[in-house]
Amino acid sequence: MSDALVLEGVTKRYGQFTAVDDFSLRLPAGEVLGFLGPNGAGKTTTIRMVMSIIYPDAGRIRVLDHPNAAEVKDRIGYLPEERGLYRKMTVGDTLRYFGQLKGLRGRALRERIDASLERVGLQDWRRKRVEALSKGMSQKLQFICAVLHRPELVILDEPFSGLDPLNAGLLERLVVELRKSGSTVVFSTHQMNQAERLCDRIVLINQGRRVIEGRVNDVRARFAGRIVLIDGDGDLAPLARVPGVVDAHITSGHARLELVDGTPPNAVLETALRHARIARFELQRPGLQEIFVKLVGGDAAPAEPVVSGEAARE
Amino acid sequence: MNKIVAIALREFLATVRTKAFILSVVLLPGIMIGGMLGMEKAQQFARSERMPPRVLAVVDETGALRADLEAQVERANAERPNQPFRLEWLPPGSADMAALVSRVRSGELYGYILVGPEAVEGAGGFTLGRKDNQLQAGRAIEEMVREAIYAVRFRVAGVDPARVAELRLRPVPVTELDGNTGGPVTSNEFARVLTPFIFMFVLFMGTFGIAQGLLTTVIEEKGSRIVEVLLSAVSPTQLMAGKIVGMAAVGFLLLGVWGGVGIAGARSYQITDIVTGYRLALAFAYFVPGFLLMAALLAAIGSACNELKEAQSMVFPLSLITVIPMVFWFYLAEHPASVLSVGLSFVPPITPFVMVLRVCADPDTPVWQIGGSLALLWASVFVAMWAAGKVFRVGVLMYGKPPSLVELARWVRYT
């Protein structure tokens, strides 16, 4: 499978401020990538560079095997973070206009407008002006505007922000449908559970640098095993002295240990078995939420970016 | 290319459908036609206004005018029966200014006429004092007194004033021809003088007026954050080109409607010689580059600003220059070949207005000046488009503080 999106050492500076710093990424076609990071991490800047709206100061970007997204605009669907619609235009005219700008014509255009409006439940709003729509409705309209031409690569910048759970659920289903139809999808979000549900891979960016990247399962697996939970009768205190344990919370009958990356939990288990009757031994698989908080929350980005999964092996 | 057409079409429809545009298309010719018809109506209306007789006290030191002046008043009253004059004869030598003034103040008199003793001989004339400054009444009174004095003079010279009046009544019509073509010219001098201004004004509205729309739509698209969605589908250059083409179509529509009304109006008033094919062709030739230049400048300014207010302060210098032909139009039309007129013809943003004024005022505007000013205008269009394209590309995604002129220059240089 070829790569839909490749970034190599991409850097963007605004004066003294480095918005994106030596950022690399490889996204195989047909996968869904969650682009995670705190506010101001450089997500929108990166996405704008991918879209060739702004240009990197250093590094290389290939989009659908082209060096410049401008060459393949009609094959990309883009929903910017800062998005708007013509307030005085009708819903139908808006779709027709953006469809035309993406190279759709005639009957194909009309059919897709019908189908899209129906899919998001806006079919009765076709002749209404955009200014009459609620925020959720105009966000759905913006979404279908972005994917009306069935793009191979869909880039969504904060598509779920400000949506109620019902509409967010609908958009999630649409993203899943896009993936099923073979599109590659990149979306940025703050909501880790959403990323966990929808994404094949994630990339986490903080202060312009890539913090972690890989398949969701690999990322979680990589952090799994670093937290060990033990329940048991006996003396759990010696566990804190096991080589590789950096942090231990031990109460009577319960221990929560954090291990140095790469430490096999066997030594911990052996020590525990010697001192107590074990009721539970669990290598905790952290959610993305915890990983996010762990990597970003300390505000000290690791000196060496953590890479796991396929990307690390390449 | 299809995308540019799609953008242009949207821009055109979005503008043409606004109430402001419909109003401006209908309103301006409406005001002009209304103004012309209104003048005539107002005159008719003024004639029918009823006034009580206006009494003029007369002190005739010559003692010879009474019969003739009464005859004149009778004639004038017959002409305007609703606004009659009446004379009150005071004996010669009884002129008491203080009394006359107080009687005028009290409203008893409209005014007074003091005819000097030598008026018939031609040494010293008459004095007229009246309540108000109405032009028409003043002229009428002056004419009545003068005609009365002439009549007395004729009689003294042994000529029958009735015979003179009869001879003078035979008309001596004049036929004015266009000296260049030998064809007829409009007899309406007012229309002739005003034509260059109207041509210029229409051109001004078609270029500066319409191109202003670009400024507002670019700012609207920036403000409502549509621009980034658009730029995911088209390049900034396509976007700018589409918008300019769309607005140019609006300009053509406007000029088409106004031009059509103008030609039809000229036909119906039989003043076709002032709306000639040559003038229309030249107006068109200047409209295209004139519009494109304005459009490029205003699109660039719009892209660099976030709010209409900011944009307006950036447009101000441009407005200041474009106002020059508006202010000096009469001078430019009356002295089309003067150094100032020729000089201003080569100031690109106002070239179309100045040239159209000059060409309408002087058919002999040298061909080199027409060709030269058009060439300069087109050259500036290309420079402006090139620079505007660069500013647009940077500006359209820039939010925050609008750039200074120095920063704008840097955008042009480094992008």
Side-chain angles (χ1 to χ4, degrees):
Chain A
M1 193 79 103
S2 66
D3 290 328
L5 187 58
V6 179
L7 282 79
E8 284 170 7
V10 171
T11 301
K12 179 74 187 175
R13 291 184 203 88
Y14 292 108
Q16 295 294 312
F17 176 67
T18 305
V20 176
D21 192 4
D22 194 23
F23 187 87
S24 298
L25 178 73
R26 193 173 285 273
L27 176 62
E31 297 201 351
V32 176
L33 172 77
F35 198 17
L36 315 178
N39 292 324
K43 298 190 296 284
T44 296
T45 305
T46 306
I47 286 176
R48 284 184 171 173
M49 283 190 284
V50 168
M51 288 307 298
S52 292
I53 288 167
I54 52 178
Y55 293 90
D57 298 320
R60 207 171 67 98
I61 297 177
R62 282 190 81 77
V63 183
L64 297 175
D65 269 329
H66 285 260
N68 190 324
E71 294 165 18
V72 284
K73 273 187 167 159
D74 289 353
R75 292 162 61 195
I76 306 177
Y78 175 46
L79 182 67
E81 184 186 15
E82 306 265 21
R83 51 197 168 231
L85 296 166
Y86 293 102
R87 296 173 52 74
K88 299 283 176 198
M89 246 178 162
T90 64
V91 170
D93 283 347
T94 301
L95 280 166
R96 185 156 40 249
Y97 180 54
F98 285 108
Q100 280 170 352
L101 291 189
K102 286 294 190 181
L104 293 177
R105 291 277 173 280
R107 226 180 75 188
L109 176 58
R110 278 199 302 278
E111 283 171 0
R112 286 197 198 171
I113 290 174
D114 291 340
S116 304
L117 284 173
E118 194 130 343
R119 183 69 189 82
V120 296
L122 285 175
Q123 63 273 27
D124 296 336
W125 292 79
R126 176 192 292 265
R127 286 176 211 296
K128 296 275 191 339
R129 286 189 176 185
V130 168
E131 59 192 352
L133 300 184
S134 72
K135 183 170 187 280
M137 284 194 260
S138 53
Q139 211 156 329
K140 286 192 283 185
L141 177 59
Q142 281 157 345
F143 185 93
I144 57 176
C145 277
V147 299
L148 194 67
H149 57 298
R150 301 200 181 139
E152 291 163 51
L153 174 61
V154 183
I155 297 177
L156 311 166
D157 201 351
E158 302 281 354
F160 303 104
S161 68
L163 284 181
D164 63 50
L166 227 60
N167 280 322
L170 174 61
L171 282 206
E172 281 186 23
R173 286 198 294 284
L174 290 174
V175 169
V176 172
E177 281 168 26
L178 280 172
R179 186 191 188 285
K180 273 191 192 141
S181 69
S183 297
T184 310
V185 182
V186 176
F187 72 90
S188 68
T189 184
H190 295 296
Q191 297 185 29
M192 298 302 134
N193 51 356
Q194 210 157 41
E196 223 157 341
R197 277 201 299 278
L198 293 173
C199 296
D200 298 303
R201 347 174 120 244
I202 57 146
V203 58
L204 175 59
I205 182 172
N206 189 29
Q207 296 179 345
R209 295 181 68 90
R210 190 178 75 178
V211 179
I212 193 168
E213 192 260 339
R215 300 191 145 276
V216 173
N217 283 335
D218 292 342
V219 169
R220 289 185 59 189
R222 182 149 187 75
F223 282 82
R226 292 178 67 169
I227 305 289
V228 180
L229 300 177
I230 298 166
D231 288 349
D233 285 340
D235 183 14
L236 295 179
L239 290 174
R241 294 187 297 274
V242 175
V245 172
V246 287
D247 194 18
H249 293 276
I250 299 171
T251 57
S252 64
H254 180 73
R256 184 179 184 280
L257 308 173
E258 187 175 346
L259 308 183
V260 172
D261 196 16
T263 309
N266 299 31
V268 174
L269 182 58
E270 281 162 15
T271 311
L273 286 172
R274 273 203 302 278
H275 293 90
R277 221 185 88 209
I278 301 304
R280 175 167 82 131
F281 184 87
E282 182 184 342
L283 296 178
Q284 197 183 47
R285 230 172 118 82
L288 288 178
Q289 179 80 27
E290 284 153 276
I291 296 172
F292 180 93
V293 171
K294 182 162 183 63
L295 292 176
V296 173
D299 226 343
E304 283 298 310
V306 184
V307 175
S308 70
E310 287 168 321
R313 287 193 290 275
E314 275 166 11
Chain B
M1 197 61 207
N2 277 331
K3 293 182 179 183
I4 296 180
V5 173
I7 294 168
L9 194 65
R10 196 211 78 86
E11 203 71 21
F12 177 79
L13 290 177
T15 309
V16 167
R17 280 178 188 160
T18 57
K19 288 188 192 84
F21 179 78
I22 295 168
L23 275 181
S24 71
V25 164
V26 178
L27 222 54
L28 196 87
I31 289 173
M32 282 187 174
I33 294 170
M36 282 192 223
L37 295 178
M39 285 284 232
E40 285 172 25
K41 274 277 171 229
Q43 270 172 10
Q44 283 175 14
F45 194 69
R47 273 174 178 278
S48 66
E49 184 189 354
R50 278 178 190 282
M51 283 187 191
R54 282 172 288 187
V55 182
L56 288 158
V58 185
V59 180
D60 177 16
E61 302 292 351
T62 67
L65 289 179
R66 185 158 186 160
D68 286 299
L69 194 50
E70 287 288 3
Q72 286 295 332
V73 169
E74 211 170 292
R75 180 190 56 78
N77 289 352
E79 221 169 81
R80 288 174 171 264
N82 290 328
Q83 292 132 29
F85 289 107
R86 226 181 57 214
L87 301 178
E88 180 190 310
W89 292 89
L90 302 178
S94 72
D96 172 1
M97 280 309 284
L100 286 172
V101 165
S102 79
R103 287 182 68 197
V104 169
R105 266 200 205 151
S106 74
E108 196 183 328
L109 287 181
Y110 172 69
Y112 43 82
I113 301 166
L114 311 176
V115 184
E118 309 284 313
V120 173
E121 287 75 22
F126 62 95
T127 304
L128 172 62
R130 57 199 182 98
K131 203 177 181 62
D132 54 38
N133 289 311
Q134 282 170 19
L135 215 57
Q136 193 265 330
R139 281 197 188 144
I141 297 167
E142 281 174 32
E143 195 193 322
M144 289 190 295
V145 179
R146 237 181 239 123
E147 288 296 324
I149 293 172
Y150 292 155
V152 176
R153 284 182 189 166
F154 282 132
R155 212 169 287 113
V156 169
V159 184
D160 179 7
R163 174 80 179 136
V164 173
E166 190 259 326
L167 288 175
R168 283 182 57 175
L169 272 177
R170 288 188 206 162
V172 186
V174 60
T175 307
E176 266 197 87
L177 292 180
D178 186 330
N180 301 294
T181 60
V185 292
T186 303
S187 50
N188 188 339
E189 203 176 27
F190 184 67
R192 259 177 6 206
V193 171
L194 220 55
T195 305
F197 177 77
I198 292 172
F199 263 84
M200 183 197 67
F201 187 74
V202 168
L203 201 62
F204 180 82
M205 293 303 288
T207 52
F208 198 59
I210 297 293
Q212 290 252 332
L214 269 173
L215 189 78
T216 49
T217 62
V218 172
I219 289 175
E220 186 207 329
E221 278 163 12
K222 268 187 86 171
S224 58
R225 318 281 158 145
I226 300 167
V227 107
E228 204 168 329
V229 185
L230 289 173
L231 290 187
S232 71
V234 299
S235 68
T237 315
Q238 283 174 317
L239 179 59
M240 192 174 104
K243 294 179 85 70
I244 289 177
V245 171
M247 288 312 250
V250 176
F252 274 123
L253 177 68
L254 193 75
L255 286 196
V257 172
W258 289 354
V261 170
I263 292 168
R267 287 241 174 87
S268 71
Y269 278 87
Q270 315 226 306
I271 49 176
T272 42
D273 62 293
I274 59 179
V275 188
T276 59
Y278 175 66
R279 285 174 178 182
L280 288 174
L282 266 179
F284 178 80
Y286 279 104
F287 166 73
V288 175
F291 177 85
L292 291 178
L293 181 59
M294 292 286 186
L297 294 175
L298 290 169
I301 291 174
S303 74
C305 299
N306 302 309
E307 276 175 53
L308 212 52
K309 243 190 206 159
E310 293 166 4
Q312 274 160 353
S313 64
M314 283 187 96
V315 172
F316 184 68
L318 186 62
S319 312
L320 216 58
I321 296 171
T322 33
V323 158
I324 292 174
M326 292 294 231
V327 175
F328 293 112
W329 79 268
F330 196 74
Y331 173 85
L332 295 171
E334 288 289 296
H335 307 281
S338 68
V339 179
L340 181 66
S341 305
V342 175
L344 287 177
S345 306
F346 288 90
V347 179
I350 57 170
T351 295
F353 315 133
V354 178
M355 284 308 288
V356 160
L357 269 179
R358 292 181 55 204
V359 168
C360 284
D362 176 14
D364 280 338
T365 309
V367 173
W368 74 264
Q369 288 182 10
I370 295 176
S373 64
L374 272 174
L376 183 66
L377 191 57
W378 272 110
S380 60
V381 166
F382 284 113
V383 172
M385 284 283 173
W386 170 79
K390 296 193 155 203
V391 170
F392 194 86
R393 232 173 301 161
V394 180
V396 89
L397 284 168
M398 278 281 241
Y399 294 103
K401 198 171 89 55
S404 66
L405 278 178
V406 180
E407 283 169 296
L408 277 182
R410 208 176 298 141
W411 291 2
V412 171
R413 243 180 314 147
Y414 292 122
T415 39

